[in-house]
Amino acid sequence: MRASSELVAAARLARRSGEEGANARAVALPERPGPLAASAQEARPARVKARKSDWTWQLRHALSSADDLHRALSLTPEELAGARRAERAGLPVRVTPYYLSLCDKGDPACPIRRQCVPLADEAAEVPGDLVDPLGEVAHEVAPHLVQRYPDRALLLATDRCAVYCRFCTRSRMVGDGGGAVALERLAPAMAYLEAHPEVRDVIVSGGDPLAVSTDRVVRLIARLRQIRSVETIRIATRVPVTLPQRITAELVRALKPYHPLWVMTHFNHPKELTPAAERACKRLADHGFPVMNQTVLLRGINDDATTLATLFRGLVRWRVRPYYLLQMDPVRGTAHLRTPLATGVSLMEQLQGRLTGIALPKLIVDTPGGMGKVPIGPEYVVDRGPGRTVLRTHRGVEVEYVDPPAGPGG
């Protein structure tokens, strides 16, 4: 359920819109526009632009049905079948007008379109597919709180996102209608964190925790900050990508007192590097939020070295650190978007030594069943012997590294 502040704001906006519409109908337009009418015509595009730059407007006007998508993009039969299926029984459809504007209407292979438009392939299951690939249900230590590592925990604060990505790890729960979790319902999770001071890092995720009102976000972060053993809070959000209008001056000012707060975002393709996204990321960085990016490796979308290099270089220019290149989790119905492990290893080998180190993420596999993340990559150790190791560089040259002699105590 939306916060009351959102409902009030929406009601006010609807009331204003209704009053403006009534006034417009009541006044007859002159045959020849005078100076005031001309001025009003010039102002209309500015008003439309202002509405579209309002994040609440974007959420209210998000496309949420197969018919909406079909009208906007003239879906292919496979896309329309996938969208109809998603409406009936799958991960729901939701796309903000902003993210929709990045889609190529004439190209079903558009990398943005493939991330947000369902395909009929989502009905297919293959060996290895899992409903809960990261074992989060099995590792739930309190309602809405998952702990898979000794020093950190994951708090699932909402089931809503601005856009429902078709490769979502939590498709089992995202968009199920619950909305933001009331702070009172998170009391058992907070009690667990207070009773387990070894948990020093909390990742707030969902859904997308920034797809709710600022008041809700601030109250949640403030409550976590009351737990003295929690040193770092990470906000896992895709709104800088799918709803950059959400990163408002109000939001960053309201959250800044609770630093250190890290933002973990999720750019997957250079087409997402828009001026609006740049403003959002730079606003976060300017207000002291370190921004880290986790890119999911997606078949036919970003599984080539040139695309990834362009994306990572662009992020670094915005002071966003490429953190992980994630092997896509084996979520049920997503095999058409997943790559073999060997693809990621090959891509990292192509990028190593050709991309500055601050733009080079780790290639990570989050192992099925919730057993934890494993870094993988090319093998650079060619040979080992007593006191010596032969390494292969990105140039293809083999170099011997000699260990120092053992010390007196060795």
Side-chain angles (χ1 to χ4, degrees), residues 367-381:
T367 55
M371 297 298 105
K373 295 180 176 69
V374 175
I376 62 172
E379 181 56 69
Y380 294 108
V381 176

Side-chain angles (χ1 to χ4, degrees), residues 14-44:
R15 188 162 57 249
R16 286 200 301 270
S17 299
E19 290 168 357
E20 290 171 2
N23 291 337
R25 288 190 294 273
V27 178
L29 293 175
E31 292 182 5
R32 293 183 179 180
L36 290 177
S39 176
Q41 289 176 350
E42 292 172 1
R44 191 174 298 117

Side-chain angles (χ1 to χ4, degrees), residues 8-242:
V8 171
R12 288 174 178 166
L13 181 59
R15 188 162 57 249
R16 286 200 301 270
S17 299
E19 290 168 357
E20 290 171 2
N23 291 337
R25 288 190 294 273
V27 178
L29 293 175
E31 292 182 5
R32 293 183 179 180
L36 290 177
S39 176
Q41 289 176 350
E42 292 172 1
R44 191 174 298 117
R47 288 198 300 271
V48 171
K49 184 177 180 181
R51 285 200 299 270
K52 290 186 177 181
S53 67
D54 177 359
W55 70 275
T56 60
W57 183 94
Q58 288 280 334
L59 287 181
R60 286 194 305 276
H61 290 83
L63 280 69
S64 58
S65 72
D67 289 339
D68 287 343
L69 280 179
H70 194 32
R71 281 190 292 269
L73 296 174
S74 298
L75 301 181
T76 66
E78 186 184 22
E79 289 175 322
L80 186 57
R84 297 263 187 242
R85 177 191 172 277
E87 278 188 310
R88 292 192 306 270
L91 175 67
V93 172
R94 196 181 200 195
V95 188
T96 57
Y98 164 80
Y99 202 63
L100 182 74
S101 74
L102 306 185
C103 294
D104 188 328
K105 295 181 180 180
D107 182 12
C110 164
I112 307 302
R113 184 163 166 164
R114 290 201 66 207
Q115 292 184 63
C116 62
V117 176
L119 294 179
D121 291 334
E122 290 185 9
E125 291 188 43
V126 302
D129 277 8
L130 297 168
V131 173
D132 179 16
L134 303 185
E136 291 178 342
V137 173
H139 289 85
E140 189 176 65
V141 292
H144 310 288
L145 187 69
V146 177
Q147 186 179 9
R148 298 193 298 141
Y149 300 91
D151 68 333
R152 75 209 78 151
L154 172 72
L155 184 66
L156 300 176
T158 180
D159 73 341
R160 302 281 175 83
C161 293
V163 171
Y164 294 140
C165 305
R166 306 321 302 174
F167 48 88
C168 180
T169 294
R170 299 193 185 103
S171 58
R172 69 185 188 279
M173 58 160 277
V174 166
D176 71 1
V181 182
L183 199 56
E184 295 76 16
R185 290 175 56 206
L186 294 175
M190 300 300 173
Y192 179 90
L193 293 172
E194 288 171 333
H196 292 80
E198 67 274 14
V199 178
R200 299 172 178 272
D201 182 9
V202 174
I203 302 102
V204 182
S205 187
D208 195 317
L210 293 189
V212 302
S213 71
T214 298
D215 178 63
R216 276 187 180 271
V217 176
V218 171
R219 284 191 287 117
L220 174 58
I221 299 300
R223 177 64 185 91
L224 286 170
R225 270 285 163 252
Q226 292 174 0
I227 304 172
R228 298 177 66 86
S229 51
V230 173
E231 297 173 353
T232 305
I233 300 171
R234 289 188 265 174
I235 300 173
T237 175
R238 210 177 180 216
V239 299
V241 185
T242 60

Side-chain angles (χ1 to χ4, degrees), residues 267-336:
F267 288 86
N268 287 330
H269 193 275
K271 280 192 75 173
E272 295 167 337
L273 301 180
T274 67
E278 180 179 11
R279 286 192 295 273
C281 290
K282 288 184 174 178
R283 175 170 278 166
L284 287 165
D286 287 345
H287 285 79
F289 296 81
V291 186
M292 313 285 275
N293 188 72
Q294 301 182 104
T295 293
V296 175
L297 191 55
L298 298 166
R299 180 186 297 184
I301 294 174
N302 60 12
D303 56 342
D304 69 90
T306 299
T307 297
L308 291 176
T310 302
L311 173 64
F312 299 153
R313 287 192 179 107
L315 290 171
V316 167
R317 285 196 298 272
W318 295 357
R319 288 171 288 163
V320 176
R321 171 74 162 92
Y323 179 50
Y324 286 159
L325 176 62
L326 288 166
Q327 175 68 21
M328 186 181 163
D329 299 325
V331 189
R332 183 178 62 184
T334 63
H336 60 291

